[in-house]
Amino acid sequence: MADLKYIQSTCPYCGTGCSFNLVVSDGKVVGVSPYPRSPVNEGKLCPKGMYANEFINSPDRLTTPQIRKDGKLVPVSWDEATSFIAENLKKYKPSERCALSSARVSNEDNYAMMKFARGVLKTNHLDHCARLCHSSTVAGLAGSFGSGAMTNSIPDIAESKCVFIIGSNTFEQHPLIGRREYMAKAKGAHYIYADPRRTITASQADLFLQFHSGSDVALLNGLMHDIIKNGWEDKEFVEKRTKGYEELKALVMQERYNLENVGKVTGLTPEDIHTAADWIANSGGCALIYSMGITQHTVGVDNVHATANLQMLTGNLGKPGTGVNPLRGQNNVQGACDMGALPVNFSGYQKVTDPEMHKKFADAWGFPEDIAPTQNGYEVTIMMNVLVDNPGELKCMYIMGENPLMSDPDLNHVKEAFENIEFLVVQDIFYNETCDYADVILPAVCYAERDGTQTSTERRVIRWRKAQDAPGEALDDWQIISMVAAKMGYEKQFAWQSASEIFDEMASLTPQYHGMNYERLNTPEGLHWPCKTPEDPGTPILHKEKFLTPDGLGVFFPAEWKAPAEVPDEEYPFVFTTGRCLFHWHTGTMTRRSPTLDKEVPTGWIEINDEDAKALGINDGEMVHATTRRDTISVMARISPQIMKGTTFMPFHFAECAANLLTHNALDPVCKIPEYKACAIKITKIEEGQ
Amino acid sequence: MSAKGDMFYAWTAVPDIKGECGGAVTSILKYLLDSKIVDGVLTVQKGLDVFDAEPVVITDSADLAKTAGSLHCGTLLLPKLIKKYLNGAKDMKLAVTCKGCDAKAMYELAKRNQINLDNIVMVGLNCGGSVSPVVARNMISSQYGINPNDVVKEEIDKGQFIVMTKDGQHKGISIDELEEQGLGRRTNCQRCETKIPRQCDIVCGNWGVIGDKAGKATFVEICSDKGAMVFDGAVKAGVLETSAPNPKGLEIRGKIENVMIKMGKKNQEKQFAAIGEGTGGRLTYIMAETSRCIKCYGCIESCPICYCVECSTKKNHLVPSGRLPPDFMFQLIRFAHIADSCVNCGQCTDVCPMNIPNSLFMHAQQVELQKMFGHKPGMDMELPVLAFAEEADERARLNATGSDMIYENVFKE
């Protein structure tokens, strides 16, 4: 009949945090309709958002709990599943337990998992996929500014006089932020784009810096060298608002960072580097925008520090159109970090090792015994190493909404790690590659079937609103965790009846969220954290007068350039870099089940420079062998003049040609992020008959 | 018994109905629901604030009060929603409130058999143009110096965009002034000539309501037999009171309409001139702008002329899949299939994540095609210039004529 409802919600894909209307008819989501009122995306969407309804009612949705009995998955009741899980988890010591939370579920779900890990499992071995993407940011900017988050907000990027985009293919990965970059340009801003690949984002550039993957610190130090040499630094800002300048100056003014030497390392011309330095320093307001190209290196933290150094040097902070703007990937990775789904923090970045914080949370939660100790736990990349190098130390794992068997580096290493897990619980909306190793699989609700909040990359907390019921017996993630906790005797500590209640408990313990509640969040604008009191209107731009460090000063962390862990050599002559494509999301569980998106890009490819391809005798569309020291795969070649000679690229979404079989598990020593963006590869033509 | 062409001042006789000016539209919708002439009313209501116009299907007339009043930030197009989500009104009867663009879109969808217009009562609304919600808020903040969260009402009157705050503050700025700065109404609204959509069944607004009824009555013009029946029925049912319009008011209404049409034509000239001419000018400009396209399909999903199940833009041999930007063929397919019937609804520009002025390009072409072929889309059921033809059938037909004169056989009556 004439039954049509519009439920305003937020896109489940990337960290831009676009809003749209879910169109509901007869109790089911039937489409997505624009929501022009949203200040973030103004009714506009990328193809993923446009078709974000297509996977919701897929017949593949997990609908019942399952237990693996004699190697076969058997559907069971929630009661049996949760009892079985409780029984098994109790067998292990706290130090043997670990958990992976999810950057794709709500803040409430993440807070519940954090409380569960620390209060029930008594472990700090808690992490999530932020480790793999922006852990460099969180660690790096926390040191430089006292806060590891995007300093400005999405709308004010359009007011910039110069956008400097480095390591972010914004038009493909955060299209509605790419729009702001374009809007700045349309108003006359300079547009600098640094990437080894000439992507669609590059097509708008006034200055395209096609540089070698992994030479970021060299480039950034080179820019600072040129700026100081020409006296273009913001002396007042440096003097009044920073410390450590002399050390920075000493490092970047070394001859190794002059234009000519940096040109050699990066593959750029001295003129281009000089132009960039001029525009960044002298345009009257430069916004630096970065993403995985900066973070996913063994020097990820150094890269991040270098971006912060550059912006502090030029006074490009604390005003609209400026800032250091890391674009968080997942829709709620910012929130998952904020909620403390990390081995070193409670929610609000309050340290696990701080006895005061320990007491604050222990007292608030009221567990009968003490919670996890004041000792940092393992990051997910370290968990994988420990599982392989020291089998028996970690014995059981609880995973919510993550797929390490596709997303972690060096998948053979990951498989080995997972073989050594005795008891594994996986909670998700679809059966994925990680489920192959699960002892118990639990069906969860998706974004359209829940109330909750998510925090986008610009620290904006926004609402999800329930548009339809979940299929079968699927439940909210926080509800499932509460049920397991109850089976383990902790019903009291997990007694929430609604997502709103969880949010209120979390906000009472988390300074940045303290002034927020569901009523205040019931606006199209949401609220930017920090929002410390009920009257606080939120903070779109950070660091206006002071930084969030203890003394309010920004800190220069000078960094020497170091090459990636594995560079090309005679045997493996090309650089291998990985990334995303616009139409698919990460391990493909949702987008490959969306017919429109799947049809657009049905499978993966390896991008090879046309000159390189010619030398190898490889044609466009041909299957080739791509081999690194980790493994070899067959994948289709896409020949392109857009990628730098000597560099190859693969998207990581496709299980049948899984890029992460090839990637390197080399980690940044500080934040433990893998070097997805650079390792060494060889490409071989598959001769006929092979 | 009223008839097509009759005009009235009308206002509500229902005590709880408070409309924008007299509540006539809301009362007519109530009558249509209560008397079961329609199964539902498709209109817009205020969402989270006055800048948020939410499409809604009302089946209980008690819920109509929420939809009363004008929302100048209501920019969405309703007819495509009928095709997409209400089975084209093929198995239900609907009343729909229609701005000019909505009315035109209805006819184009009907021509293509995507909605059943017989099942729809089109309640037309005068429209001087709408403003995108975020633009409105930014405008109010920067030009009016008022916090948009304090605004409780907005309106467009006598060439001004006027806001009223919760503590009674009133401020208006000339639309022309705002539009000089790139603010104000959507650019397609600036170009629009369909201010009183008489292709509806009745058309309502406040232009021409003067004297003691000013602000308290709606000017209603009957535009069809269906409209006459509906109007008379509402009066007979006691929900509507009427009086003859003041002749001076009629004159004023005509004047306003003409001024706005002139303004629309002027803006067309200005905006079309800015995108150049010919292959060196206009085509080059279009190719440059569309090079930002990220294949979101928003233009196609929202366009009232687009309806193909297998869109040609999704055929790999025409537009290689997965490539960004898509081959220019993507845009050419849109132009070739749509341009003759573009009704300048502006949705394709509104939804584009890369700020490509799609409707400017499409409307510019439509205007040229109208000069060549004389076809004006959206006015009635006259079939479009372009028609879908199966190649085999068409070749057979041409063969059967025994002639090789294509022009004569295809274009002549």
Side-chain angles (χ1 to χ4, degrees):
Chain A
M1 245 298 82
D3 169 31
L4 203 67
K5 272 200 260 305
Y6 280 68
I7 306 288
Q8 184 236 314
S9 191
T10 311
C11 185
Y13 285 116
C14 86
T16 305
C18 297
S19 289
F20 50 46
N21 278 310
L22 289 170
V23 185
V24 183
S25 185
D26 271 332
K28 285 251 172 298
V29 174
V30 293
V32 165
S33 187
Y35 183 59
R37 178 63 185 82
S38 166
V40 178
N41 59 308
E42 301 183 57
K44 299 152 188 284
L45 295 167
C46 80
K48 292 190 299 294
M50 187 68 64
Y51 298 107
N53 59 300
E54 286 188 341
F55 72 88
I56 296 174
N57 292 305
S58 159
D60 290 348
R61 286 289 300 277
L62 292 173
T63 53
T64 63
Q66 298 170 78
I67 296 180
R68 203 178 291 274
K69 301 183 180 179
D70 297 320
K72 275 187 67 180
L73 284 169
V74 175
V76 300
S77 67
W78 275 111
D79 194 65
E80 191 183 333
T82 49
S83 299
F84 182 71
I85 294 172
E87 213 178 281
N88 272 279
L89 289 176
K90 282 195 205 151
K91 291 188 202 154
Y92 301 101
K93 298 200 287 263
S95 60
E96 295 170 340
R97 302 164 174 160
C98 52
L100 296 183
S101 192
S102 175
R104 306 192 55 59
V105 303
S106 66
N107 289 327
E108 293 76 5
D109 298 316
N110 270 291
Y111 176 80
M113 174 59 97
M114 195 268 295
K115 188 174 183 181
F116 180 77
R118 300 197 151 108
V120 175
L121 299 181
K122 312 288 189 199
T123 182
N124 285 313
H125 297 324
L126 168 68
D127 204 5
H128 67 282
C129 66
R131 187 65 42 201
L132 311 175
C133 71
H134 268 289
S135 51
S136 324
T137 298
V138 176
L141 295 184
S144 306
F145 301 149
S147 166
M150 180 165 167
T151 64
N152 285 56
S153 65
I154 293 168
D156 78 76
I157 290 175
E159 299 179 48
S160 183
K161 300 285 189 291
C162 172
V163 294
F164 176 32
I165 308 159
I166 176 165
S168 158
N169 180 7
T170 331
F171 275 44
E172 278 200 63
Q173 318 307 8
H174 296 87
L176 273 306
I177 298 181
R179 172 174 175 255
R180 301 289 176 171
E181 292 167 352
Y182 168 70
M183 284 165 74
K185 177 182 163 141
K187 286 201 276 200
H190 293 298
Y191 184 119
I192 307 169
Y193 182 71
D195 191 318
R197 300 166 68 220
R198 184 184 283 276
T199 62
I200 184 176
T201 315
S203 68
Q204 299 302 310
D206 300 311
L207 180 61
F208 173 39
L209 301 173
Q210 194 169 28
F211 72 135
H212 291 297
S213 180
S215 62
D216 307 76
V217 170
L219 172 60
L220 293 162
N221 283 351
L223 289 167
M224 287 188 267
H225 178 112
D226 204 46
I227 287 169
I228 295 175
K229 182 158 157 223
N230 286 289
W232 290 336
E233 71 276 17
D234 185 332
K235 297 178 180 66
E236 199 189 325
F237 191 93
V238 168
E239 197 194 300
K240 295 224 170 85
R241 300 208 42 199
T242 69
K243 62 187 189 194
Y245 174 65
E246 290 306 319
E247 290 82 359
L248 176 82
K249 182 171 172 187
L251 189 145
V252 304
M253 291 318 288
Q254 295 176 87
E255 280 317 299
R256 64 199 306 241
Y257 296 117
N258 69 28
L259 293 181
E260 229 187 275
N261 287 329
V262 169
K264 291 201 196 104
V265 171
T266 58
L268 300 170
T269 66
E271 293 76 39
D272 279 351
I273 303 170
H274 179 73
T275 305
D278 183 7
W279 290 354
I280 292 166
N282 301 320
S283 299
C286 170
L288 191 156
I289 296 142
Y290 77 83
S291 195
M292 305 291 92
I294 283 284
T295 58
Q296 285 177 334
H297 283 284
T298 47
V299 296
V301 175
D302 285 347
N303 288 342
V304 171
H305 279 152
T307 64
N309 293 341
L310 177 64
Q311 293 299 73
M312 281 190 283
L313 182 69
T314 50
N316 279 314
L317 283 154
K319 304 176 292 210
T322 64
V324 175
N325 300 291
L327 303 184
R328 308 298 302 253
Q330 302 276 14
N331 58 317
N332 199 25
V333 65
Q334 181 66 54
C337 289
D338 296 344
M339 295 299 108
L342 296 167
V344 304
N345 290 326
F346 291 103
S347 61
Y349 305 97
Q350 298 169 107
K351 299 222 155 300
V352 146
T353 50
D354 182 343
E356 232 183 86
M357 292 305 140
H358 182 100
K359 186 172 190 314
K360 171 175 163 178
F361 280 85
D363 287 349
W365 287 347
F367 283 92
E369 330 79 8
D370 199 7
I371 59 176
T374 52
Q375 202 186 317
N376 289 336
Y378 288 142
E379 300 83 353
V380 60
T381 38
I382 298 302
M383 287 178 207
M384 296 303 134
N385 286 345
V386 168
L387 282 163
V388 170
D389 299 335
N390 194 21
E393 184 184 332
L394 293 172
K395 295 209 170 82
C396 75
M397 188 182 279
Y398 196 122
I399 298 182
M400 170 173 76
E402 286 234 330
N403 192 8
L405 268 302
M406 270 292 284
S407 56
D408 285 31
D410 191 354
L411 291 178
N412 289 319
H413 185 254
V414 180
K415 286 179 192 169
E416 220 189 306
F418 270 72
E419 309 268 323
N420 291 338
I421 299 178
E422 266 181 40
F423 183 69
L424 176 65
V425 180
V426 176
Q427 188 170 307
D428 210 299
I429 61 174
F430 286 115
Y431 189 96
N432 60 35
E433 290 74 12
T434 306
C435 292
D436 284 344
Y437 294 83
D439 297 291
V440 187
I441 298 175
L442 303 172
V445 310
C446 80
Y447 79 102
E449 298 152 355
R450 58 167 89 235
D451 277 335
T453 58
Q454 75 171 38
T455 307
S456 71
T457 188
E458 54 170 352
R459 296 167 283 103
R460 189 191 295 262
V461 182
I462 17 183
R463 293 274 307 267
W464 274 338
R465 292 185 183 80
K466 181 173 172 176
Q468 68 165 47
D469 288 330
E473 300 176 69
L475 293 174
D476 280 71
D477 289 279
W478 62 262
Q479 260 187 303
I480 300 173
I481 292 170
S482 302
M483 280 163 60
V484 174
K487 287 285 181 184
M488 293 180 73
Y490 298 103
E491 199 175 55
K492 250 183 76 183
Q493 289 78 13
F494 290 82
W496 309 298
Q497 295 300 307
S498 71
S500 178
E501 269 180 55
I502 306 177
F503 188 91
D504 290 339
E505 179 183 317
M506 178 277 298
S508 72
L509 296 166
T510 313
Q512 296 90 336
Y513 285 69
H514 200 71
M516 301 186 198
N517 56 44
Y518 269 39
E519 206 195 298
R520 288 199 73 199
L521 289 169
N522 198 29
T523 66
E525 277 68 33
L527 287 164
H528 292 273
W529 66 249
C531 174
K532 299 201 165 153
T533 66
E535 297 77 34
D536 188 339
T539 319
I541 299 180
L542 295 177
H543 318 308
K544 279 188 161 154
E545 275 102 48
K546 289 202 325 210
F547 287 100
L548 289 165
T549 46
D551 59 5
L553 295 176
V555 185
F556 283 107
F557 280 91
E560 294 278 10
W561 173 69
K562 300 186 201 83
E566 187 182 85
V567 293
D569 58 22
E570 252 198 68
E571 206 191 334
Y572 298 95
F574 298 108
V575 173
F576 179 53
T577 188
T578 59
R580 292 180 271 236
C581 80
L582 171 63
F583 298 96
H584 281 293
W585 191 258
H586 292 209
T587 70
T589 51
M590 291 153 71
T591 52
R592 297 192 82 185
R593 290 184 170 94
S594 303
T596 307
L597 301 171
D598 186 52
K599 182 161 185 271
E600 197 70 40
V601 182
T603 188
W605 67 91
I606 184 160
E607 213 168 276
I608 305 174
N609 171 273
D610 53 344
E611 282 177 53
D612 291 332
K614 193 154 172 226
L616 290 165
I618 289 172
N619 298 307
D620 193 40
E622 209 180 287
M623 293 298 281
V624 298
H625 281 143
T627 310
T628 65
R629 288 181 172 88
R630 271 67 59 194
D631 205 339
T632 184
I633 61 173
S634 295
V635 59
M636 186 174 67
R638 194 188 272 191
I639 312 302
S640 168
Q642 319 282 50
I643 189 168
M644 251 179 128
K645 195 159 182 295
T647 304
T648 60
F649 167 87
M650 273 189 74
F652 72 103
H653 317 292
F654 306 97
E656 65 275 22
C657 44
N660 279 323
L661 282 168
L662 306 178
T663 50
H664 195 192
N665 188 24
L667 307 177
D668 177 299
V670 172
C671 70
K672 318 292 195 289
I673 196 171
E675 189 145 49
Y676 287 111
K677 286 290 183 268
C679 68
I681 195 171
K682 71 177 168 191
I683 310 292
T684 34
K685 187 181 170 74
I686 300 177
E687 298 297 346
E688 263 175 81
Q690 271 183 324
Chain B
M1 270 300 326
S2 59
K4 180 169 167 173
D6 289 349
M7 305 197 214
F8 302 88
Y9 284 173
W11 59 95
T12 186
V14 179
D16 323 303
I17 289 185
K18 296 228 179 321
E20 185 69 23
C21 37
V25 170
T26 312
S27 310
I28 290 169
L29 296 174
K30 176 180 161 64
Y31 160 68
L32 289 168
L33 267 180
D34 289 345
S35 60
K36 298 204 191 331
I37 294 177
V38 300
D39 303 302
V41 169
L42 173 62
T43 182
V44 292
Q45 67 185 8
K46 187 175 97 166
L48 289 175
D49 57 28
V50 301
F51 306 100
D52 178 10
E54 189 183 277
V56 65
V57 174
I58 306 267
T59 48
D60 179 349
S61 65
D63 295 331
L64 280 171
K66 290 187 279 180
T67 70
S70 310
L71 291 168
H72 289 89
C73 296
T75 58
L76 288 180
L77 193 76
L78 296 181
K80 188 90 189 264
L81 305 176
I82 301 174
K83 173 223 160 15
K84 274 184 149 179
Y85 303 119
L86 295 168
N87 199 23
K90 292 185 181 160
D91 44 22
M92 65 179 81
K93 293 196 185 343
L94 293 171
V96 187
T97 48
C98 297
K99 317 185 288 300
C101 45
D102 292 306
K104 292 188 288 187
M106 286 285 201
Y107 277 94
E108 291 306 310
L109 282 159
K111 286 180 204 183
R112 290 164 177 77
N113 203 21
Q114 298 305 299
I115 62 173
N116 182 350
L117 216 48
D118 291 339
N119 280 348
I120 298 184
V121 177
M122 288 197 282
V123 179
L125 306 169
N126 293 358
C127 179
S130 55
V131 184
S132 295
V134 176
V135 171
R137 286 176 62 87
N138 290 340
M139 197 165 87
I140 289 169
S141 177
S142 64
Q143 309 298 313
Y144 293 64
I146 293 176
N147 182 342
N149 292 332
D150 294 339
V151 170
V152 293
K153 198 157 166 22
E154 41 70 23
E155 69 179 1
I156 297 185
D157 188 32
K158 300 194 178 49
Q160 292 205 331
F161 185 81
I162 303 166
V163 301
M164 275 140 277
T165 66
K166 57 181 188 229
D167 32 89
Q169 209 192 336
H170 242 101
K171 185 157 180 192
I173 298 183
S174 133
I175 293 256
D176 281 339
E177 222 180 277
L178 292 166
E179 283 168 15
E180 298 273 305
Q181 301 185 58
L183 302 168
R185 299 168 302 161
R186 296 151 70 213
T187 45
N188 66 293
C189 295
Q190 294 175 28
R191 299 190 303 267
C192 178
E193 296 178 49
T194 313
K195 317 316 294 185
I196 299 180
R198 292 182 184 81
Q199 58 270 73
C200 296
D201 293 304
I202 59 173
V203 62
C204 314
N206 68 357
W207 300 340
V209 183
I210 57 172
D212 58 341
K213 279 270 161 239
K216 302 204 196 94
T218 308
F219 196 114
V220 179
E221 181 176 335
I222 312 292
C223 305
S224 71
D225 294 339
K226 193 197 282 181
M229 258 178 24
V230 167
F231 189 75
D232 290 345
V235 171
K236 197 153 162 229
V239 301
L240 216 55
E241 285 187 26
T242 70
S243 73
N246 184 320
K248 191 93 184 59
L250 250 150
E251 227 188 276
I252 289 175
R253 179 175 182 258
K255 268 213 189 108
I256 295 177
E257 187 182 12
N258 285 329
V259 163
M260 302 215 72
I261 290 175
K262 256 175 83 176
M263 218 162 69
K265 284 190 158 67
K266 201 173 110 195
N267 283 325
Q268 282 179 38
E269 254 179 63
K270 188 166 127 197
Q271 291 186 27
F272 295 158
I275 62 173
E277 268 179 41
T279 48
R282 185 171 289 188
L283 178 62
T284 314
Y285 183 71
I286 293 177
M287 290 180 80
E289 290 290 294
T290 57
S291 72
R292 296 192 297 279
C293 174
I294 58 165
K295 251 188 158 178
C296 72
Y297 291 104
C299 49
I300 290 170
E301 293 289 346
S302 61
C303 178
I305 319 301
C306 274
Y307 69 99
C308 294
V309 174
E310 276 180 49
C311 180
S312 293
T313 58
K314 291 188 178 162
K315 293 179 184 164
N316 208 11
H317 63 284
L318 293 173
V319 182
S321 67
R323 304 302 169 114
L324 294 173
D327 195 284
F328 190 59
M329 188 55 140
F330 183 103
Q331 317 297 335
L332 288 171
I333 289 170
R334 280 271 298 156
F335 295 150
H337 294 184
I338 307 302
D340 71 321
S341 299
C342 174
V343 296
N344 188 29
C345 70
Q347 299 301 304
C348 52
T349 294
D350 286 355
V351 298
C352 181
M354 288 303 160
N355 285 14
I356 302 168
N358 294 298
S359 88
L360 175 60
F361 301 151
M362 199 66 86
H363 189 202
Q365 289 172 67
Q366 185 275 318
V367 159
E368 296 302 316
L369 288 168
Q370 187 171 320
K371 287 184 201 152
M372 280 190 240
F373 295 101
H375 173 69
K376 202 166 172 200
M379 308 312 294
D380 50 32
M381 289 301 281
E382 183 187 294
L383 290 179
V385 178
L386 297 175
F388 181 79
E390 291 282 1
E391 183 176 343
D393 293 346
E394 183 62 8
R395 283 190 185 279
R397 187 185 76 81
L398 285 170
N399 270 334
T401 62
S403 156
D404 60 1
M405 302 298 284
I406 294 179
Y407 183 85
E408 282 194 19
N409 289 305
V410 172
F411 288 109
K412 267 172 74 170
E413 286 300 306

